[in-house]
Amino acid sequence: MTAPAARIPAVHTSAPAAHHYTTLGLDSRKVAIWAFIGSECMLFVSLISTYLIYKGRSVVGPFPHETWTDPATGRVLKPILNIPVTSASTFVLLMSSLFMVLALAAVQNKEKPKRTRGERILGNSKLWLWMTAIAGTTFLGFQAFEFTSFVHEGLTIRTNLFGSSFFTLTGFHGAHVTAGVLWLVTLLAIDYRRGLGSRDSLLVDIAALYWHFVDVIWIVIFTLVYLIK
Amino acid sequence: MKGTDRLRRLASYAFLAAFAIAAASCNEAHPNTTLVPHSDYGREIDFLWDRLLLLGTIVFVLVEAALIFIVIKYRRRDNHPTPPQTHGSTKLEITWTLIPAVILVFIAVPTVRTIFITQAQAAPGSLNIEVTGHQWWWEFRYPEYGVTTANEIYLPVGRTVNFRLRSADVIHSFWTPQLGGKRDVVTNRTNYLWYTPDSSTASSVWNGFCAEYCGASHANMRFRVFTVTPAQFASWVAGQKTPARFGAVATPAPTGGQNPPALEGSASGYIFPREKIPDYAVPHAPIPPGLKFTPGLTGNAARGKQVFSGAACIGCHSIAGNPVAMGVTGPNLTHVGSRSTIAAGRFPNAAAYLALWIKNARKMKPDVLMPTLGLDEYDPVLKAKVTAATGGLTDQQIADIVAYLTALK
Amino acid sequence: MATTAISTPAYGGEYSGEHSGLWSWLSTVDHKRIGILYLYTALFFFMFGGVEALILRAQLGAPNQHLVSAEFYNQLFTMHGTTMIFLAIMPLSSAFFNFLIPLQIGARDVAFPRLNAFSYWVYLFGGIFITVPILFAVAPNGGWFGYAPLTTKAYSPGINIDFWVIGLQVLGVSSLAAAFNFLTTIINLRAPGMTLMRMPMFTWMAFVVQFLLILAFPVITIALVFLLFDRFFGTNFYNTVSAGADPLLWQHLFWIFGHPEVYILVLPAFGLVSEVLPTYSKKPLFGYPVMVYSGILIAALGFGVWAHHMFAVGMGPIADTFFGLTTMLIAIPTGVKIFNWIATMAQGAIRYTTSMLFGIGLVALFTIGGISGIMHASPPADLQQTDTYFIVAHFHYVLFGGSIMGIFAGIYHYFPKIMGRLLDEKLGKIHFWLTFIAMNLTFFPMHFSGMLGMPRRIYTYDAGQGWDLYNAMSTVGAMIFPFAMLIFIYNFFKSRKSGEVAGSNPWGAGTLEWSIPSPPPEYNFAKIPTVTSRYPLWEGKEVDHESARINSQEGKTAAELGIVMPYNTIKPLLVALGLIVMFCGLMTTPILIAVGAALMVFSLYSWLLSPLEPEHH
């Protein structure tokens, strides 16, 4: 009959539920981020489905995997996707997830004593947050490079069904990465100002969940758009 | 007791009202009813409908009766003891889950059967009609006969007609309620709809509607279907195939005799007699206020042909036999004189309406593509007056065109 | 019923002192106030949408009329649908989600009070944005369902559709934010002992609806993004003319959202009725577990029936069969609910309060709507019914006869809790009967005009088509609604000021919200109760009497009880303002986009970096 004891992580930053009882013993923001991710899945499912529906149905080129000859001008357009380059950017994004994991671990273990040089490096939350943000920004740089080169090669968002669905899908993903980078920079700012400690695990955990989600979406996009012909 | 009496009285009023409505529906004055089929397709659907209505009525009566009974019987009375705090009954739950499921089986099985029957390919030898939906008129082509017309179809009874439906712009829906269900008319794909009008429907007229919201004049996108005997159909086709006699250029008499008489159109094939068209197929739309035509003008068809061939008309309309009239944006006018309505069923095909239509189509039918042509008329879409510089036509010129078009039987 | 002479002002003894005045409402984060804001705003839009309908019915009262132009009629029917669905019914449900959920689960507020306020302001600004255009006759005119390619720039070159696309995107943000909030609240803030299977039915249905919202709204968001991009940036998603786009893409995306949406519209009303019927029958809800499972099943199946809106489109026999069968299947859990409600009343001691009448009305009228729905489920039969007034009849029976009746049942039931006073029962009964008669007189004849061949969405019809009688009846019926609503509005405002004082549990109901004063104090529960049954106030031997006694005490402030309340803050309103300004910029100048974005981001950072409530240990 007595209320079950609720184990709540101690987080002081604008956390309403921190000192209040919660049914699952979880911070409400943890629950909310999962709901948000579920919703975002449907968002990307809709974008990806549209891309797949329109695959192979563009009336004019350039095409992702095939050559196209413009019947009007006779110009030959090569398949426009650059798998090697995009593989590199994918690798960078995947590494960023690793860095994020390390950043979270560093924050969670901030108060533990570090004895070796290795432990100090691993425990440097600022380092790993920077690495994640830089990797994310590098990925965005690759995307920007890809978009501009596509435009130069004659593929814009208005050119054909492929252009519209490709740029919208990857553009939305890129916007999500950008938001994630801004989030990381904000965490860095907090780390510099007052330091992030184990009491801030939740904040970094939520950011990490979002970041991994964005990475997973990219893996799906990369597979369906770039790898599968 | 007062509550019960009042409820009982209300219930009986409600039943009376529903019955009255139902009775009113069963009489003849419902020319677009879906409840009386006139084709094989219509009968398939009607069978399903009858079953749905029967089962639906039974469920309705049982559920509402139970509701009314319980609501009255278990009213709280004075000194009412605490009711039994029943939480549920697994038996009841199973029962009232299974019974609806069984009822649904009686609907599902004939449904699936009918889906596959009605969506099978049309029988070989069917009459193919290509339907193209435009905002806001219907283009009909009989490819096997080389006939192109608009807003009117003739069908031979007893022969399956297979409609091939495509849209030239937005999504429309092709519907002749008395002959069958509807099918959407969509761009970039062809939909099919077929049915066989009953032999008993010879010499009948049916209304057709667009049934998918397609913009400003969606309500004005109507058509007519004439179901006729095979002989009458053949005669109609023969007439429609040939270029309008009027359109033929008058050749000088080869032996130096008199030139052929001034061209007059004549009905060269069967046309459903106007006087036999029932009232429900005659449009009653009023003429918009403020649209006037000079009274007492007589049109000259030969002059009309000249005006027509030099005006904006030829940019959108075709008349087989008139070599300059080859536009495809608007309805084919080769035999426009033979049709019973104009403007896709909005107005009767009579000189007075035709004249006003040419004068200011956009006022007659909201937002149509056909521009306002009358001199000094206000074009509600361009929001400007028509001037001579922009190709405005005088009433006399319009009267001449009307004479020309009327002769294109 | 308490008749103690408490000096309870018109509403909310708590809304005095520093808690009164315009600023306190603009900066509130209290779920009860936000619920009241939703209620007033939604009732206003309900009446606005009703006026649009009255004009429509006047135009259709006789054949070949010209009371309004074709263009304006098309705007009216578009806005009537859009207003009723997005600005009236959904927000009315939100009013109840807001006010009730924390009270029913024994919480002090929702999980994210500031996000809650944000949802409301986005709704208000979005609602204004999408409604003002009709005053200038440039309202959206593509139907509430906005089928492409009609709504692409090629066929709708004006700004009408721009308002629609942007307005709906904005409203979607409001709904999604609220859904994350309520989902988290219901999962994570239930009182000790309140397992999921002890939650009140309204909260259960609300819970299911939040899942529907978070999964369905992203799909229409993308559909609208595609349309927005096509219209503003020249993309090709719906460009069937030159790019080979699929003309059905919009329809699929829209209805994958659209069908769950109708369950979003009706399940909250089902939840309300599931509170009302047991209370006035004086017995618990019959078959509670089945009611829960059927709600979950309806929501899950609801994602598998969407193409029954597309039976005429030519998807082919296999798709038609599949969706026809799933649609028939979904009738089973829906029917089961009707039977359980009837069984709830059986053997009860029924009090005919206005709330109960509306509840019974829902059962009676939704049954009719459900039956016509099954009739549409057979694809070949539907080819005669779809796009006719038969469909209009069906969805008004389920949306008016279902959602609206349920919502009114909820209003009459919960008004005392919200305002502290009872609505007048005599006026209430007149409101009910006028509404019931008007509803049936307006919509029942539409079954007939539909089956007699009358298509939908037509601004006029010709004489001699056999539809005159039914249209005349519908028009007469429609004209009764204003009288019903006027009586309701009069009752609402009069009772707010001088209605009979309600006390904490005027109806003798059994759930937690009735254990606290009316209106509730800002902290809701002085002591979070422990719950051991579904009806904590009824199930005799295990009622937490101690908590009930403490919680029913009036006049204590949060400070006296040592309860920390969140700060009021204007930041959610500012973020909402930034959002709408940004979208306005899309239709005007990029400068506004920048200004709006800056306001949004700055206010958002300010919000996120400031504490919700004072520090406490």
Side-chain angles (χ1 to χ4, degrees):
Chain A
M1 258 251 345
T2 44
R7 308 228 64 250
I8 301 149
V11 183
H12 289 301
T13 329
S14 64
H19 302 287
H20 301 292
Y21 163 81
T22 63
T23 315
L24 297 184
L26 284 176
D27 188 293
S28 286
R29 286 171 297 174
K30 193 79 182 283
V31 177
I33 191 74
W34 279 111
F36 178 70
I37 286 175
S39 190
E40 293 269 271
C41 281
M42 285 305 284
L43 193 87
F44 280 102
V45 160
S46 308
L47 283 165
I48 293 171
S49 304
T50 304
Y51 179 85
L52 293 175
I53 288 170
Y54 279 158
K55 210 171 156 93
R57 286 168 60 158
S58 291
V59 173
V60 300
F63 296 143
H65 300 290
E66 302 88 26
T67 319
W68 179 68
T69 313
D70 186 346
T73 63
R75 235 172 87 208
V76 175
L77 294 169
K78 295 188 323 285
I80 202 162
L81 292 181
N82 189 334
I83 314 284
V85 169
T86 318
S87 303
S89 69
T90 304
F91 176 74
V92 169
L93 196 64
L94 282 172
M95 290 308 291
S96 76
S97 265
L98 171 62
F99 301 147
M100 189 75 225
V101 170
L102 294 173
L104 177 60
V107 169
Q108 282 169 332
N109 298 319
K110 192 54 85 73
E111 284 82 21
K112 290 214 180 94
K114 315 278 189 298
R115 290 188 200 88
T116 67
R117 182 138 178 272
E119 278 179 3
R120 271 195 298 277
I121 293 176
L122 280 176
N124 187 341
S125 61
K126 291 188 189 65
L127 169 67
W128 298 116
L129 285 174
W130 271 118
M131 293 292 287
T132 315
I134 290 171
T137 311
T138 308
F139 173 82
L140 288 173
F142 271 100
Q143 292 292 80
F145 165 74
E146 187 187 41
F147 282 20
T148 43
S149 57
F150 281 8
V151 170
H152 282 140
E153 289 168 42
L155 181 74
T156 69
I157 202 173
R158 313 155 86 126
T159 308
N160 53 11
L161 294 176
F162 166 59
S164 295
S165 53
F166 172 82
F167 281 109
T168 306
L169 170 60
T170 53
F172 260 77
H173 176 262
H176 279 75
V177 174
T178 308
V181 169
L182 288 171
W183 195 340
L184 289 165
V185 168
T186 309
L187 287 175
L188 271 167
I190 298 176
D191 203 357
Y192 277 106
R193 222 186 50 175
R194 65 159 176 80
L196 287 171
S198 57
R199 68 213 151 120
D200 302 300
S201 307
L202 179 82
L203 280 184
V204 185
D205 193 2
I206 293 174
L209 272 171
Y210 175 80
W211 192 261
H212 296 316
F213 164 73
V214 167
D215 199 354
V216 166
I217 292 293
W218 179 253
I219 294 171
V220 175
I221 295 176
F222 183 62
T223 309
L224 291 175
V225 173
Y226 291 83
L227 295 184
I228 295 184
K229 306 210 202 297
Chain B
M1 279 307 127
K2 200 172 73 162
T4 329
D5 283 347
R6 226 181 325 131
L7 268 160
R8 287 215 181 96
R9 241 184 301 134
L10 269 158
S12 46
Y13 288 156
F15 270 119
L16 273 172
F19 184 72
I21 301 177
S25 326
C26 291
N27 73 39
E28 295 304 305
H30 294 108
N32 305 304
T33 178
T34 63
L35 304 172
V36 182
H38 292 105
S39 72
D40 49 356
Y41 184 34
R43 261 188 301 284
E44 290 282 350
I45 293 179
D46 196 58
F47 172 79
L48 279 174
W49 166 256
D50 286 344
R51 176 166 292 200
L52 287 166
L53 186 62
L54 175 68
L55 293 171
T57 308
I58 293 175
V59 170
F60 168 78
V61 167
L62 289 177
V63 173
E64 303 288 5
L67 176 67
I68 295 176
F69 172 75
I70 284 173
V71 159
I72 297 178
K73 171 156 189 211
Y74 294 105
R75 288 159 34 249
R76 189 184 63 140
R77 295 169 180 77
D78 293 328
N79 302 318
H80 199 120
T82 313
Q85 302 288 290
T86 326
H87 282 87
S89 152
T90 314
K91 242 195 306 203
L92 268 178
E93 300 286 355
I94 295 181
T95 312
W96 63 42
T97 304
L98 282 182
I99 293 182
V102 167
I103 294 178
L104 287 173
V105 170
F106 280 99
I107 299 174
V109 168
T111 292
V112 178
R113 198 183 136 271
T114 310
I115 292 175
F116 281 91
I117 290 178
T118 54
Q119 292 192 36
Q121 293 256 35
S126 302
L127 169 64
N128 287 311
I129 299 183
E130 287 171 5
V131 177
T132 306
H134 300 260
Q135 280 179 316
W136 293 281
W137 58 280
W138 297 94
E139 178 182 346
F140 298 119
R141 272 186 19 100
Y142 293 68
E144 291 133 21
Y145 300 112
V147 170
T148 305
T149 181
N151 304 323
E152 251 179 34
I153 332 175
Y154 280 65
L155 298 177
V157 300
R159 183 176 171 197
T160 305
V161 56
N162 183 25
F163 295 103
R164 286 147 62 172
L165 308 161
R166 281 187 81 97
S167 169
D169 39 41
V170 301
I171 301 178
H172 304 275
S173 194
F174 179 84
W175 192 34
T176 47
Q178 290 247 283
L179 291 171
K182 60 183 73 71
R183 190 53 86 193
D184 281 2
V185 171
V186 172
T187 36
N188 293 353
R189 72 192 264 143
T190 305
N191 278 339
Y192 294 92
L193 176 73
W194 57 259
Y195 51 70
T196 315
D198 294 344
S199 321
S200 57
T201 62
S203 293
S204 305
V205 195
W206 314 100
N207 286 333
F209 305 94
C210 173
E212 182 61 64
Y213 179 62
C214 52
S217 267
H218 161 66
N220 299 323
M221 187 170 163
R222 309 174 195 161
F223 60 99
R224 295 283 178 275
V225 178
F226 295 96
T227 44
V228 297
T229 66
Q232 289 166 333
F233 176 72
S235 169
W236 177 81
V237 166
Q240 296 283 316
K241 263 164 69 158
T242 57
R245 249 184 47 116
F246 195 89
V249 172
T251 49
T255 51
Q258 268 200 314
N259 281 339
L263 302 172
E264 290 167 17
S266 72
S268 47
Y270 173 77
I271 294 178
F272 198 96
R274 277 290 191 98
E275 59 282 3
K276 287 229 179 77
I277 295 181
D279 184 66
Y280 61 76
V282 176
H284 306 90
I287 292 173
L291 187 53
K292 307 246 177 309
F293 201 83
T294 315
L297 289 178
T298 315
N300 180 307
R303 255 200 334 249
K305 180 180 174 212
Q306 271 185 313
V307 180
F308 181 94
S309 306
C313 322
I314 56 173
C316 294
H317 292 287
S318 290
I319 296 179
N322 185 336
V324 300
M326 299 212 310
V328 292
T329 318
N332 185 305
L333 298 180
T334 308
H335 294 280
V336 62
S338 70
R339 296 184 203 146
S340 63
T341 67
I342 58 168
R346 181 150 171 80
F347 297 105
N349 188 357
Y353 292 101
L354 195 47
L356 289 171
W357 173 255
I358 296 172
K359 185 159 184 175
N360 199 340
R362 287 178 170 166
K363 196 162 178 166
M364 294 278 268
K365 183 167 161 176
D367 282 15
V368 290
L369 207 53
M370 173 158 162
T372 303
L373 293 170
L375 204 53
D376 289 333
E377 280 293 307
Y378 181 75
D379 184 328
V381 172
L382 293 179
K383 299 205 181 359
K385 266 198 170 187
V386 179
T387 62
T390 55
L393 300 171
T394 63
D395 279 6
Q396 181 59 60
Q397 287 174 308
I398 293 176
D400 292 337
I401 295 179
V402 169
Y404 172 50
L405 295 178
T406 310
L408 292 177
K409 295 206 176 21
Chain C
M1 289 200 311
T3 49
T4 37
I6 305 157
S7 57
T8 320
Y11 62 150
E14 316 310 316
Y15 305 136
S16 58
E18 84 246 9
H19 293 295
S20 63
L22 179 64
W23 186 259
S24 73
W25 285 93
L26 296 177
S27 61
T28 185
V29 298
D30 181 343
H31 70 99
K32 301 182 289 297
R33 286 211 185 195
I34 295 172
I36 291 173
L37 287 172
Y38 267 107
L39 182 65
Y40 277 96
T41 312
L43 282 175
F44 168 77
F45 279 116
F46 178 65
M47 291 190 286
F48 197 92
V51 167
E52 286 164 342
L54 288 180
I55 305 176
L56 294 180
R57 282 312 326 164
Q59 164 70 5
L60 291 177
N64 286 320
Q65 295 205 112
H66 259 100
L67 298 174
V68 293
S69 67
E71 291 89 348
F72 194 64
Y73 181 93
N74 295 337
Q75 294 179 21
L76 282 171
F77 86 71
T78 301
M79 287 314 297
H80 169 71
T82 305
T83 302
M84 286 307 193
I85 290 174
F86 294 104
L87 304 182
I89 298 185
M90 286 181 76
L92 280 169
S93 301
S94 290
F96 283 104
F97 294 158
N98 263 285
F99 201 91
L100 268 194
I101 292 178
L103 300 184
Q104 286 202 326
I105 63 174
R108 292 240 158 80
D109 204 315
V110 295
F112 306 109
R114 292 175 296 185
L115 187 66
N116 201 10
F118 169 74
S119 292
Y120 170 73
W121 296 112
V122 174
Y123 154 58
L124 178 69
F125 297 148
I128 294 174
F129 178 87
I130 210 170
T131 304
V132 162
I134 203 164
L135 302 174
F136 301 93
V138 284
N141 57 2
W144 86 271
F145 47 93
Y147 277 8
L150 177 63
T151 45
T152 58
K153 220 152 174 89
Y155 301 107
S156 292
I159 56 175
N160 316 52
I161 302 294
D162 296 338
F163 280 113
W164 186 73
V165 171
I166 294 174
L168 283 191
Q169 284 288 42
V170 171
L171 291 168
V173 170
S174 167
S175 296
L176 271 175
F180 298 134
N181 214 342
F182 291 122
L183 199 67
T184 309
T185 305
I186 295 173
I187 289 177
N188 216 23
L189 297 187
R190 282 168 283 139
M194 182 171 281
T195 59
L196 286 176
M197 292 307 269
R198 284 184 189 153
M199 292 199 309
M201 273 308 290
F202 174 75
T203 298
W204 246 119
M205 293 298 102
F207 190 41
V208 169
V209 164
Q210 307 314 317
F211 280 101
L212 287 174
L213 282 166
I214 69 169
L215 295 175
F217 260 85
V219 184
I220 192 180
T221 301
I222 291 302
L224 290 169
V225 161
F226 290 165
L227 187 57
L228 194 125
F229 278 22
D230 273 16
R231 291 183 66 87
F232 285 92
F233 308 132
T235 50
N236 297 301
F237 294 103
Y238 306 117
N239 182 354
T240 49
V241 174
S242 57
D246 190 330
L248 299 186
L249 177 67
W250 169 270
Q251 292 191 41
H252 280 292
L253 289 175
F254 182 82
W255 288 117
I256 292 176
F257 151 80
H259 196 83
E261 167 69 4
V262 313
Y263 294 114
I264 291 170
L265 293 172
V266 87
L267 286 177
F270 279 6
L272 286 171
V273 157
S274 295
E275 305 290 357
V276 164
L277 294 182
T279 304
Y280 301 105
S281 307
K282 262 271 169 280
K283 49 195 284 281
L285 183 68
F286 194 92
Y288 175 100
V290 171
M291 291 298 265
V292 169
Y293 301 141
S294 63
I296 296 174
L297 197 56
I298 289 173
L301 280 176
F303 273 102
V305 301
W306 80 84
H308 67 220
H309 300 269
M310 298 164 64
F311 282 149
V313 135
M315 297 181 294
I318 303 197
D320 281 357
T321 303
F322 174 78
F323 285 102
L325 293 178
T326 53
T327 306
M328 290 180 206
L329 208 59
I330 210 172
I332 299 178
T334 319
V336 158
K337 282 187 176 291
I338 301 272
F339 303 140
N340 274 289
W341 284 323
I342 297 180
T344 303
M345 293 184 278
Q347 299 188 309
I350 301 174
R351 284 173 292 162
Y352 292 140
T353 59
T354 308
S355 175
M356 184 60 168
L357 289 176
F358 273 108
I360 297 172
L362 178 147
V363 178
L365 297 177
F366 187 86
T367 301
I368 299 178
I371 292 174
S372 57
I374 296 178
M375 290 172 162
H376 311 327
S378 171
D382 189 50
L383 290 181
Q384 288 287 39
Q385 300 163 27
T386 189
D387 273 306
T388 70
Y389 266 79
F390 193 77
I391 305 278
V392 181
H394 158 73
F395 66 70
H396 281 95
Y397 266 89
V398 292
L399 287 179
F400 198 111
S403 304
I404 296 293
M405 298 295 266
I407 286 169
F408 275 126
I411 291 179
Y412 280 90
H413 187 61
Y414 283 107
F415 185 93
K417 179 55 59 183
I418 301 172
M419 304 294 184
R421 295 176 183 274
L422 296 166
L423 280 166
D424 183 293
E425 276 294 307
K426 272 211 269 298
L427 290 176
K429 293 197 165 92
I430 299 177
H431 172 220
F432 168 73
W433 285 110
L434 282 180
T435 303
F436 190 81
I437 293 169
M439 196 265 160
N440 284 292
L441 188 55
T442 307
F443 299 114
F444 200 77
M446 291 183 183
H447 292 107
F448 291 87
S449 49
M451 292 314 286
L452 295 174
M454 184 172 178
R456 281 176 81 171
R457 301 161 181 160
I458 53 177
Y459 74 97
T460 189
Y461 54 94
D462 205 356
Q465 305 300 304
W467 306 328
D468 300 5
L469 169 66
Y470 310 103
N471 276 283
M473 291 176 71
S474 292
T475 299
V476 167
M479 298 303 159
I480 300 178
F481 281 118
F483 297 103
M485 278 308 288
L486 282 170
I487 290 176
F488 169 71
I489 296 296
Y490 172 72
N491 192 357
F492 191 100
F493 284 99
K494 184 178 87 106
S495 304
R496 245 190 56 194
K497 285 209 160 33
S498 56
E500 187 183 340
V501 173
S504 53
N505 196 356
W507 311 120
T511 41
L512 279 183
E513 68 271 25
W514 301 103
S515 69
I516 56 182
S518 307
E522 57 174 341
Y523 48 82
N524 299 346
F525 296 90
K527 175 178 183 304
I528 305 285
T530 305
V531 168
T532 51
S533 70
R534 281 175 198 150
Y535 294 96
L537 302 187
W538 275 2
E539 246 104 85
K541 46 182 169 30
E542 299 191 343
V543 171
D544 184 353
H545 291 290
E546 172 68 9
S547 294
R549 187 188 62 78
I550 295 177
N551 286 328
S552 61
Q553 282 177 350
E554 307 203 21
K556 293 224 176 263
T557 64
E560 284 169 15
L561 294 168
I563 300 173
V564 176
M565 299 301 301
Y567 293 117
N568 275 16
T569 166
I570 197 76
K571 289 165 193 149
L573 188 155
L574 291 177
V575 178
L577 192 61
L579 181 70
I580 196 77
V581 166
M582 209 172 76
F583 274 105
C584 283
L586 253 185
M587 286 181 70
T588 49
T589 154
I591 298 177
L592 268 184
I593 302 183
V595 166
L599 176 61
M600 215 177 78
V601 171
F602 180 76
S603 308
L604 188 60
Y605 260 95
S606 183
W607 159 357
L608 289 172
L609 297 176
S610 52
L612 173 70
E613 56 198 8
E615 277 285 323
H616 60 288
H617 303 283

